[in-house]
Amino acid sequence: MVDLMSLEPSLIKTDQELPGARQSNAMEPADDIVAFGATSIGEIEKLMEELRVARDYLRSEGERVKSINARYAHLTRTASDSVKIIAESMGKWRVPEMEPEPRRSDSIRRIGPQ
């Protein structure tokens, strides 16, 4: 293993302050690396948990939206079918205005002498 202190002692600072206001008491540079790594791992795990919560929330919202859309589609189909039934029923009651009325002159001729 390579001794980092022997390579360039001015690059390695063992008295550097760690994040979270903890002072390093490490005698070897590897201890500082482990301390920094532990802090980073904790932050990453916290972030991963927040992402899991967000994922679960988005999944449940997706299911809720799908359910609402399915109900809306069913309501739309039902309303459309109802309108068709009503229109067909009303069509049977209605007398079309465009039908020609029988001519009186034609009826008179039939009644008269032939």
Side-chain angles (χ1 to χ4, degrees):
M1 184 187 312
V2 178
D3 183 18
L4 296 176
M5 294 295 279
S6 64
L7 292 177
E8 188 62 48
S10 64
L11 294 177
I12 301 172
K13 300 178 182 177
T14 57
D15 61 341
Q16 181 179 356
E17 189 172 321
L18 293 175
R22 292 186 342 203
Q23 183 63 28
S24 174
N25 293 328
M27 298 313 258
E28 293 186 27
D31 292 340
D32 281 343
I33 294 171
V34 170
F36 281 122
T39 303
S40 297
I41 290 171
E43 291 174 2
I44 290 170
E45 287 175 349
K46 180 181 176 184
L47 180 60
M48 287 174 60
E49 182 58 31
E50 290 175 4
L51 289 172
R52 281 187 200 105
V53 169
R55 179 194 62 198
D56 294 342
Y57 172 75
L58 290 174
R59 280 184 180 165
S60 67
E61 284 297 301
E63 290 299 319
R64 185 182 68 82
V65 168
K66 282 181 187 177
S67 173
I68 289 171
N69 284 343
R71 282 186 282 167
Y72 178 74
H74 175 69
L75 178 65
T76 302
R77 282 191 302 272
T78 304
S80 177
D81 292 343
S82 298
V83 168
K84 287 178 186 176
I85 291 169
I86 292 169
E88 289 172 3
S89 297
M90 290 181 70
K92 293 175 186 175
W93 300 343
R94 183 174 162 224
V95 176
E97 293 99 22
M98 299 307 287
E99 278 186 22
E101 294 183 22
R103 294 184 185 176
R104 291 185 183 181
S105 60
D106 291 339
S107 346
I108 296 173
R109 282 188 216 158
R110 285 188 209 144
I111 298 175
Q114 293 183 0

